[in-house]
Each structure stands twice: as structure tokens, then as C-alpha cells.
Amino acid sequence: MKRDAKCIFCKIVAEEIPAAVVLADESLVAFLDIGPLAEGHLLIVPREHCERLTDMSAEMLASVVGKLPKLGRSLLAVSGADGFNLLVNQGKVAGQEVPHVHLHLIPRKAGDGLGYRWHPGSYRDDRARQLTEAYRTALAKDA
Ligand code: 5GP
Ligand code: ZN
């Protein structure tokens, strides 16, 4: 299994540095984020070192995502939250600081002040059709 000797999450996976681990199985480790956005904020990482979501195999991702319902239920029960956000930051521009894929599971409560600046735009003229074509072409090339 691939690992990076300098990676902080690989060190947590290998139990070389401590973390508040809530679940560990053959494919993932889930632990408390050291800088929580809300109490109970979890990080879920694949055991294997992989920098970006887009580098992961479908099998590797499936084994991580497959645990989300169970982890989500435990998060709701433990944190008393009414819901949660599932977040992946890919790339520095998106806020990725640790170059080992991780899923944030962030408890949400009414009025907690968390959330995105979410200002929806709209497509003019033919732009939505052009983008759809571009997506279909890119997806067909990546088959
Ligand atoms: P990113 O910005 O890369 O999406 O998120 C990295 C997250 O990892 C941050 O929320 C940060 O608080 C958390 N983090 C960084 N180093 C450690 C660590 O050594 N232990 C734990 N438990 N969390 C960490
Ligand atoms: Zn790593």
C-alpha cells in the first residue's frame, strides 16, 4: 500500500502520531479534526496515500464512501447536530492543506453561522449547452 513518509495523515494511519480515532478498518481511518469547525467534526482518510480525489480508483473511493451512512449516523447521535456537510477540498485554491485525500464531515445546527458564500449565477445564451457538450466529450475521452 502506497504511503508518503512525510505525510501527516499517513503517520496517523500508521499510528506513528496520535489522533482521536473513532473508526479504523482495512480501507480507512476516521478521526476528530484537530481544528474542528464544530464539535465532532470528523476527517475520513483512505489508508493508502493518495493526494487528490481524482487520483483515487473507484474501488478505493467506494470503500471509503461506503462507510459514510454509518459514520454520519454516529456523528448525528454524538454531536446532537440536525445535519452535516460532507466536504472535500481538492487543490490549494480550494483550501486543501494536507495532500492526502480526506473527507470532512461537519456537524450542522440551526444558526451555527457556518456555511458557504453561495451566490448562484445563471447561464446566458448557449453557454449551458456548450458546457454540457464539453463535459460529455471530456467524459467520453476518460472512459
Ligand atoms: P484541508 O484544509 O486540507 O481540507 O483540511 C485539513 C484538515 O486537517 C484541517 O481541518 C486541519 O484542522 C486538520 N489537521 C491538520 N493536521 C492535523 C493533525 O495532525 N491531526 C488532526 N486530527 N487533524 C489535523
Ligand atoms: Zn498520506
Side-chain angles (χ1 to χ4, degrees):
M1 189 176 290
K2 197 178 154 217
R3 68 163 279 169
D4 178 332
K6 293 191 296 270
C7 171
I8 189 106
F9 287 174
C10 281
K11 288 179 184 170
I12 287 176
V13 165
E15 299 181 27
E16 290 167 7
I17 61 168
V21 172
V22 303
L23 182 72
D25 68 14
E26 64 286 353
S27 40
L28 67 80
V29 178
F31 51 93
L32 291 180
D33 191 307
I34 206 166
L37 294 185
E39 212 174 68
H41 177 168
L42 290 176
L43 294 175
I44 304 154
V45 309
R47 276 193 180 274
E48 183 157 352
H49 181 82
C50 192
E51 183 168 340
R52 301 176 298 183
L53 182 87
T54 47
D55 297 331
M56 291 178 81
S57 69
E59 294 74 23
M60 190 178 170
L61 185 57
S63 60
V64 171
V65 170
K67 282 281 161 36
L68 282 177
K70 185 181 168 96
L71 282 163
R73 287 192 296 272
S74 72
L75 175 142
L76 293 174
V78 168
S79 68
D82 307 309
F84 56 78
N85 288 120
L86 172 64
L87 176 70
V88 176
N89 297 324
Q90 172 156 323
K92 274 201 185 331
V93 72
Q96 183 176 9
E97 287 178 2
V98 179
H100 180 135
V101 180
H102 47 284
L103 280 57
H104 292 264
L105 211 54
I106 306 162
R108 298 300 308 272
K109 289 181 180 169
D112 62 15
L114 294 173
Y116 299 95
R117 285 163 294 149
W118 195 289
H119 304 303
S122 58
Y123 293 117
R124 298 188 61 162
D125 307 322
D126 212 19
R127 190 62 185 142
R129 192 198 57 75
Q130 289 168 359
L131 286 168
T132 306
E133 278 304 311
Y135 268 113
R136 288 180 181 173
T137 302
L139 287 163
K141 273 194 200 146
D142 195 20

